[in-house]
Amino acid sequence: MVYKDDASGYYCLLIAICCDLNAYESRLMYEHGPDYPPCKRILKKKVKLPEDIKIVSKLQMGEQMRRLRTEGFTLDAIAEAFGCYPSAVRRRIAKAEVEKKKLE
């Protein structure tokens, strides 16, 4: 997509940094604004981990990821919240489900 001015890329970068969005999300926000329905969903679904959560093991991390996934968060959003890749999120969720079945 061609933007109207040369500074639009900088604006998208600022939006991405200030709002903690990825490139696609910041471009949508720049083009349509925060009142655009997909932008509202993006801002609503951003995951922020509470400061009081202390994760000791990868199993506990997997449990937290599994809980967030069942609440409807995307793999990308969960990966951003935990600072890892979406493939790591899938793997930890799968391990957490296996461990949960073993305990039952």
Side-chain angles (χ1 to χ4, degrees):
M1 164 149 215
V2 177
Y3 293 108
K4 295 176 185 171
D5 58 5
D6 292 335
S8 61
Y10 295 111
Y11 293 131
C12 287
L13 180 61
L14 283 173
I15 291 170
I17 292 169
C18 294
C19 298
D20 193 27
L21 303 174
N22 63 30
Y24 174 73
E25 294 166 342
S26 65
R27 189 187 63 165
L28 270 180
M29 196 70 64
Y30 176 75
E31 291 175 355
H32 301 286
D35 293 332
Y36 186 57
C39 293
K40 284 182 179 180
R41 286 192 299 272
I42 289 169
L43 292 174
K44 183 180 176 185
K45 288 287 187 176
K46 289 310 255 181
V47 180
K48 298 289 182 195
L49 291 177
E51 297 297 325
D52 59 343
I53 290 181
K54 296 210 174 27
I55 299 171
V56 178
S57 69
K58 288 185 179 182
L59 181 61
Q60 288 176 337
M61 188 181 294
E63 282 296 319
Q64 291 291 329
M65 290 176 176
R66 189 182 62 75
R67 183 183 57 79
L68 290 171
R69 186 70 174 143
T70 58
E71 289 177 5
F73 291 102
T74 64
L75 291 174
D76 291 330
I78 297 169
E80 284 182 28
F82 283 91
C84 61
Y85 293 107
S87 60
V89 173
R90 278 193 303 271
R91 188 174 55 251
R92 289 181 184 158
I93 289 173
K95 285 182 182 179
E97 288 174 352
V98 167
E99 289 296 322
K100 185 177 179 183
K101 288 179 183 178
K102 283 182 183 178
L103 294 174
E104 291 177 352

